[in-house]
């Protein structure tokens, strides 16, 4: 099969857009979200006024969502290299080596705006998109994770959004046969008008079979694969690159509609043709649809493309070139194939009942030229659309310092706890962190038979890799994965908060007996044109960079989601961190909560310094959101604690381990006990003295609650004597009892379980 493009220069161009000053042109410019300066640059690049299709192409490719024009100057500060890194940022997904030639491909992306407008389809297509990013690298997806943020439980829209987002995630993942094994959900006022739906996928791949999205080889054909194109999702990329107004909640035409059954066929067909070596380049049609996939593939290869839109399969009539180029209809891929392999490719795809059509050819022009119904609709150089897209160093302005210092805020919090009542506060914390099992039950967590530990434990997810590509000496090799962030710390201190997001993911992996390998990020912030938001973003990148360098965990992929703002109100800075790690023997991975009674030990820093700034207790007590300080980080302690947990787990000593997070030591211990109906006796007197309120309810950095297998306690305590920056202290027990007891206070287990299990605002 050989496609021969027509004599391009003989094709008539459609009429250029009408630049006549007035409301019509103003509305056109507003719709495409190009500034006056950017539009002038478009005309300078083309040497003429653009056609409507060209204006749409520039709008999509120069959108914040596609070009990262406000963030690229900052992202270059992230550490992206390391001994395990095989493919870093710039491809569809990052790839890290786990063992021998066995690698993991993984990435996290946002689908925030679509999910607020139409939560079921927005969330479902978010899952579909991130799956395609991973399997178009040649990796087989083995796990999905998600990190979700919603407004206050009392907000009128929260129950609807929560219910339909979770259903969209569950339905899509369940249908395609990839388990959803981990997640993170919280509720905060800043998300009332702008929920966050961040989706992550992890896949396995052989190092020698990694595939990249390059449109190479002049004369090779461009093949369209998958679902037909409709009008859903038009302007999705530009919609995701602007702030919301309340009325935008009805903009459903910008939201795509997913079909997980077609996605399953697309997954299997893609892996099949890649395994048979039938494809040279491959790209998912994600944000900006055919436009982005065409320009990105040509840009990576330094080539040009000719496309004939008359050949694009459609599911509706009379679609214009503009609509065909900007539609974000789901489950579609673009392939570059040698003409000699076209017949064999057709045979393989027919087996999977997938239609494929030749729609173009690779050229050496350095331009993307697009023909539709006898007209040359697009004739644009590639470089200005990709590497030479606008880059802005936005103005930054630091937010005012927290209103109250750390020590005085801590005392204010203690005073407030005494008034509120310690038992009442624990109930509040258990309700805020809440049992997510009613949500996780909607996800098939065990399909694929690799899942060892999943979401119900509220720890990191553990999967047994069981791959022929692994080192034969590691038959029980596993992967540990997580995705999380603490928005309260980030609101208080954007640098320290982002570092904590990295640390939280790493601690969860360490508590599961794993060794962190690499990270992906999804940086959710407000309007970058607001200097304070842009300062938060810049400092957030610095916090991630610091933590990743200190832990030796490079960032290999990611996503930036800006303009998370409605009616001028931005979300709290939310740099979500996804992370993968390895564990040599999944049989030894500790649980996050004990099945039966156990003694509890606290692994902590030699300086045990709880803080109330950004804490869940401060939120529950109604204290100022930007007061006090978040827990400070001791990097030597963090590294030593993670290494020690790895040693204990690898030696078979560790039965239970959980990092101390939201709500502090007491909330963490209480959840470990009540999840299986047990009581708790907790005594931190050795660490905090007689006034234990700060120790029980304050939040700490780098601490873990652990329990040991029978007969292992003495060895673990002996090994702890060698620690320089950490200590291991006996603090109580999970026991058969009807009380949660701490210090001089107590609470019935039944009341604690009721608070924990009744937290979700489901309609």
């Amino acid at each position: 099969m050989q496609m021969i493009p027509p004599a391009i220069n003989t094709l008539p161009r459609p009429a250029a857009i009408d630049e006549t000053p007035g409301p019509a042109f103003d509305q056109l410019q507003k719709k495409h979200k190009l500034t006056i300066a950017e539009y002038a640059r478009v005309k300078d690049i083309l040497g003429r006024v653009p056609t409507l299709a060209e204006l749409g192409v520039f709008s999509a490719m120069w959108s914040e969502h596609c070009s990262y024009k406000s963030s690229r100057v900052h992202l270059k500060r992230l550490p992206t290299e390391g001994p395990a890194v095989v493919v870093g940022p710039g491809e569809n997904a990052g790839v890290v080596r786990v063992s021998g030639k066995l690698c993991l491909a993984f990435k996290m992306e946002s689908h925030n705006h679509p999910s607020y407008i139409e939560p079921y389809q927005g969330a479902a297509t978010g899952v579909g998109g991130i799956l395609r990013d991973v399997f178009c690298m040649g990796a087989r997806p083995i796990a999905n994770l998600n990190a979700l943020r919603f407004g206050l439980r009392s907000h009128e829209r929260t129950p609807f959004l929560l219910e339909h987002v979770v259903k969209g995630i569950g339905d899509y993942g369940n249908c395609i046969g990839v388990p959803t094994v981990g997640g993170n959900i919280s509720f905060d006022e800043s998300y009332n008008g702008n929920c966050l739906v961040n989706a992550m996928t992890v896949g396995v791949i052989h190092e020698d079979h990694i595939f990249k999205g390059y449109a190479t080889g002049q004369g090779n054909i461009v093949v369209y694969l998958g679902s037909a194109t409709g009008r859903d999702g038009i302007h999705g990329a530009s919609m995701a690159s602007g702030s919301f107004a309340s009325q935008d909640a009805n903009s459903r035409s910008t939201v795509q509609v997913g079909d997980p059954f077609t996605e399953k066929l697309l997954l299997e067909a893609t892996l099949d043709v890649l395994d048979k070596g039938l494809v040279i380049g491959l790209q998912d049609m994600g944000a900006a649809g055919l436009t982005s996939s065409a320009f990105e593939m040509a840009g990576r290869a330094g080539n040009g493309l000719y496309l004939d839109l008359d050949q694009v399969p459609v599911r509706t009539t009379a679609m214009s070139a503009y609509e065909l180029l900007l539609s974000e209809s789901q489950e579609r891929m673009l392939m570059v194939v040698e003409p000699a392999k076209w017949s064999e490719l057709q045979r393989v795809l027919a087996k999977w009942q997938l239609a494929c059509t030749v729609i173009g050819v690779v050229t050496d022009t350095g331009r993307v030229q697009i023909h539709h119904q006898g007209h040359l609709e697009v004739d644009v150089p590639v470089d200005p659309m990709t590497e030479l897209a606008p880059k802005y160093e936005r103005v930054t302005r630091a937010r005012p310092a927290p209103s109250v210092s750390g020590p005085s805020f801590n005392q204010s919090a203690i005073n407030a706890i005494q008034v509120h009542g310690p038992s009442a506060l624990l109930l509040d914390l258990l309700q805020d962190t809440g049992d997510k099992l009613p949500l996780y039950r909607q996800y098939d967590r065990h399909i694929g038979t690799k899942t060892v530990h999943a979401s119900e434990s509220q720890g990191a997810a553990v999967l047994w890799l069981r791959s022929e590509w692994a080192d034969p000496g590691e038959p029980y090799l596993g992967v540990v994965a997580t995705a999380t962030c603490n928005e309260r710390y980030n609101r208080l201190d954007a640098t320290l908060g982002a570092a904590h997001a990295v640390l939280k993911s790493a601690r969860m992996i360490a508590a599961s007996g794993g060794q962190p390998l690499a990270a992906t990020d999804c940086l959710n912030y407000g309007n970058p044109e607001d200097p304070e938001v842009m300062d938060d973003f810049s400092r957030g990148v610095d916090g991630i960079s610091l933590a990743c360098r200190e832990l030796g965990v490079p960032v290999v992929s990611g996503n930036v989601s800006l303009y998370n703002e409605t009616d001028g109100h931005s979300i709290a800075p939310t740099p979500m961190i996804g992370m993968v790690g390895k564990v040599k023997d999944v049989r030894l991975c500790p649980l996050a909560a004990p099945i039966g009674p156990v003694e509890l030990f606290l692994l902590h820093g030699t300086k045990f310094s709880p803080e109330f700034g950004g804490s869940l207790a401060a939120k529950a007590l109604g204290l100022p959101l930007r007061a006090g300080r978040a827990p400070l980080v001791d990097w030597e302690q963090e590294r030593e604690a993670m290494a020690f947990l790895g040693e204990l787990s690898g030696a078979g000593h560790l039965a239970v381990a959980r990092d101390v997070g939201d709500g502090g030591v007491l909330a963490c211990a209480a959840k470990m006990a009540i999840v299986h109906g047990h009581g708790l006796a907790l005594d931190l007197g050795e660490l905090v003295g007689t006034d234990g309120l700060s120790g029980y309810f304050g939040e700490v950095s780098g601490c873990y609650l652990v329990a040991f297998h029978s007969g292992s306690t003495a060895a673990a305590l002996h090994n702890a004597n060698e620690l320089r920056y950490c200590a291991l202290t006996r603090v109580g027990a999970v026991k058969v009892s009807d009380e949660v007891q701490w210090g001089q206070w107590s609470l019935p287990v039944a009341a604690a379980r009721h608070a924990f299990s009744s937290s979700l605002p489901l309609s």
Side-chain angles (χ1 to χ4, degrees):
M1 170 72 182
Q2 183 80 40
M3 171 170 274
I4 301 175
I8 292 291
N9 294 330
T10 67
L11 290 175
R13 283 197 182 94
I17 64 168
D18 184 357
E19 290 184 299
T20 304
F25 183 68
D26 291 345
Q27 184 63 29
L28 189 69
Q29 199 158 26
K30 179 182 178 182
K31 178 181 180 181
H32 290 88
K33 293 183 170 65
L34 290 174
T35 66
I36 293 173
E38 286 171 348
Y39 178 67
R41 186 173 171 188
V42 168
K43 292 199 295 183
D44 184 58
I45 289 168
L46 296 177
R48 54 179 170 80
V49 177
T51 66
L52 180 61
E54 287 170 337
L55 183 66
V57 164
F58 274 98
S59 169
M61 293 303 296
W62 286 5
S63 68
E64 196 72 60
H65 192 76
C66 291
S67 74
Y68 290 16
K69 58 189 174 186
S70 297
S71 58
R72 292 173 82 178
V73 296
H74 300 284
L75 297 176
K76 63 185 180 183
R77 301 199 297 272
L78 294 172
T80 59
E81 297 179 350
V85 176
V86 179
V87 177
E91 277 295 333
N92 291 298
V95 181
V96 291
R97 188 181 303 104
V98 180
S99 172
K101 293 285 188 177
L102 176 63
C103 297
L104 298 175
F106 67 105
K107 188 182 181 183
M108 182 189 290
E109 281 219 355
S110 63
H111 231 223
N112 303 334
H113 288 52
S115 298
Y116 189 77
I117 294 170
E118 212 300 303
Y120 180 87
Q121 291 295 350
T125 54
V127 173
I130 194 63
L131 280 164
R132 290 192 298 278
D133 279 345
V134 168
F135 71 70
C136 75
M137 297 285 293
R140 175 167 292 280
I142 60 168
N144 288 330
L145 299 93
N146 55 74
L148 312 177
R149 294 293 179 270
F150 299 98
L152 293 176
R153 290 171 170 82
S154 58
H155 189 268
E156 61 181 1
R157 195 161 163 80
T158 295
F160 172 77
L161 290 172
L162 174 64
E163 183 174 344
H164 289 83
V165 162
V166 169
K167 183 169 175 54
I169 291 170
D171 284 357
Y172 204 100
N174 295 351
C175 288
I176 199 172
V178 177
T180 300
V181 297
N184 178 262
I185 304 174
S186 70
F187 303 88
D188 184 273
E189 183 178 9
S190 78
Y191 308 113
N192 280 350
N194 204 128
C195 65
L196 301 184
V197 175
N198 293 176
M200 176 178 168
T201 294
V202 181
V204 293
I205 189 170
H206 189 284
E207 186 171 347
D208 296 339
H209 299 163
I210 296 169
F211 204 80
K212 299 181 180 180
Y214 288 80
T216 57
Q218 182 183 357
N220 285 334
I221 55 176
V222 179
V223 176
Y224 176 114
L225 170 66
S227 296
T229 296
R231 289 192 170 94
D232 52 319
I234 294 173
H235 283 296
S238 55
M239 177 269 291
S241 304
S243 299
F244 262 175
S246 298
Q247 62 268 25
D248 291 339
N250 295 318
S251 301
R252 287 182 171 83
S253 63
T254 58
V255 179
Q256 311 94 322
V257 177
D259 178 358
F261 299 104
T262 298
E263 178 100 342
K264 174 62 173 175
L265 296 175
L266 195 63
L267 186 162
E268 299 299 342
T270 298
L271 296 181
D272 196 355
V273 299
L274 293 180
D275 184 60
K276 289 179 168 62
L278 301 179
V279 177
I280 291 175
L282 178 69
Q283 180 73 31
D284 163 41
M285 291 191 218
L290 180 57
T291 291
S292 64
S293 55
F295 277 97
E296 288 173 10
M297 291 181 77
R300 291 182 187 129
N303 284 330
L305 290 179
Y306 162 77
L307 300 179
D308 182 357
L309 297 184
D310 296 336
Q311 307 304 316
V312 172
V314 296
R315 62 172 183 262
T316 188
T317 59
M319 290 190 71
S320 66
Y322 182 93
E323 292 171 324
L324 289 165
L325 287 168
L326 296 182
S327 168
E328 294 183 13
S329 295
Q330 294 291 284
E331 294 86 39
R332 302 179 300 160
M333 306 284 268
L334 204 62
M335 295 178 167
V336 174
V337 180
E338 294 176 358
K341 295 182 179 179
W342 167 238
S343 296
E344 187 178 355
L345 179 72
Q346 286 180 295
R347 284 195 296 273
V348 173
L349 296 179
K351 179 181 71 173
W352 297 106
Q353 301 177 6
L354 284 173
C356 58
T357 308
V358 177
I359 66 166
V361 63
V362 178
T363 69
D364 62 357
T365 62
R367 305 177 73 85
V368 171
Q369 297 168 309
I370 300 174
H371 162 236
H372 183 235
Q373 295 183 353
H375 289 86
L376 182 59
E377 291 278 356
V378 173
D379 185 5
V380 175
V382 172
D383 284 347
M385 308 301 282
T386 53
E387 292 305 311
L388 301 181
K391 298 184 186 73
Y392 297 128
E393 191 147 359
R394 304 278 191 189
V395 175
T396 61
R397 182 177 65 246
R399 295 184 186 276
S403 58
V404 183
S405 67
S408 60
F409 185 72
N410 290 345
Q411 187 57 54
S412 297
I414 292 170
N415 295 341
I417 294 171
Q418 291 170 336
V419 172
H420 188 76
S423 296
L425 180 57
L426 177 57
L427 290 175
D428 291 340
L429 299 185
L430 290 174
Q431 188 167 50
D432 199 313
T433 54
D435 185 4
K436 309 304 190 303
L437 191 57
L439 304 182
Y440 297 153
R441 280 181 176 143
Q442 298 181 48
Y443 306 149
D444 190 331
R445 293 156 286 164
H446 297 282
I447 192 169
T449 66
K450 294 183 185 296
T451 307
V452 178
H453 296 159
S455 314
E456 63 267 29
S457 66
Q458 298 200 41
V462 180
L463 295 102
W464 181 15
L465 288 179
R466 292 190 301 149
S467 172
E468 68 273 21
W469 303 327
D471 186 330
E474 297 178 317
Y476 298 102
L477 182 70
V479 58
V480 190
T482 187
T484 190
C485 177
N486 183 323
E487 60 274 5
R488 297 183 307 281
Y489 291 174
N490 281 274
R491 182 191 282 118
L492 185 60
D493 184 324
T495 306
L496 183 58
H500 270 292
V502 175
L503 281 163
K504 175 65 175 176
S505 276
R507 291 177 195 133
M508 291 176 72
I509 288 174
S512 296
Q515 172 195 347
L517 286 177
T520 182
D521 59 40
C522 196
L523 307 182
N524 307 273
Y525 288 80
N527 189 338
E529 297 164 50
D530 180 335
E532 290 186 345
V533 169
M534 204 62 227
D535 187 69
D536 286 340
F537 182 87
S538 177
R539 293 177 61 213
V541 170
D542 288 340
I544 295 170
S545 299
L546 170 65
C548 287
R549 287 192 170 93
E550 290 284 353
L551 299 179
V553 179
V555 178
V556 297
S557 61
N559 172 243
V560 175
S561 176
L562 301 178
Y563 291 99
N564 290 290
E565 174 190 77
T566 299
D567 296 334
H569 299 288
S570 285
I571 64 165
T574 315
M576 209 68 73
I577 301 296
M579 193 174 290
V580 298
K582 66 178 287 186
V583 59
K584 291 185 177 181
D585 191 336
V586 296
R587 300 172 300 174
L588 302 178
C589 288
L591 300 172
I595 302 298
V598 293
E599 280 191 292
L600 285 181
F601 294 81
L602 186 68
L603 178 62
H604 59 90
T606 52
K607 296 178 182 179
F608 184 72
S609 303
E611 296 283 353
F612 282 97
S615 69
L616 207 61
K619 175 187 173 185
L621 294 165
L623 298 177
L625 299 175
R626 298 201 74 252
R629 68 182 182 187
L632 299 178
V633 175
D634 182 325
W635 296 105
E636 295 284 4
Q637 173 201 333
E638 295 281 359
R639 288 190 290 266
E640 184 177 68
M642 291 180 195
F644 183 56
L645 288 172
E647 292 170 7
L648 291 177
S649 178
H653 296 320
L654 203 56
V656 178
R658 188 170 189 145
D659 72 293
V660 176
D662 288 349
V665 177
L666 174 59
C668 179
K671 287 184 286 187
M672 293 172 71
I674 67 174
V675 70
H676 292 301
H678 298 301
L680 173 71
L682 189 68
D683 185 357
L684 301 180
E686 186 177 331
L687 296 175
V688 296
T690 56
D691 179 15
L693 289 176
S694 63
Y696 290 116
F697 291 107
E699 296 185 7
V700 288
S701 175
C703 292
Y704 304 81
L705 280 165
V706 300
F708 305 110
H709 288 296
S710 177
S712 292
T713 302
L717 291 173
H718 175 76
N719 292 345
N721 291 331
E722 304 299 318
L723 297 174
R724 297 179 58 194
Y725 305 99
C726 298
L728 189 62
T729 302
R730 194 187 311 259
V731 293
V734 171
K735 60 182 185 176
V736 178
S737 167
D738 59 3
E739 278 195 330
V740 173
Q741 183 269 326
W742 68 102
Q744 58 187 297
W745 302 281
S746 65
L747 185 71
V749 169
R753 281 178 60 85
H754 176 74
F756 187 57
S757 63
S758 62
S759 66
L760 293 173
L762 297 173
S763 58

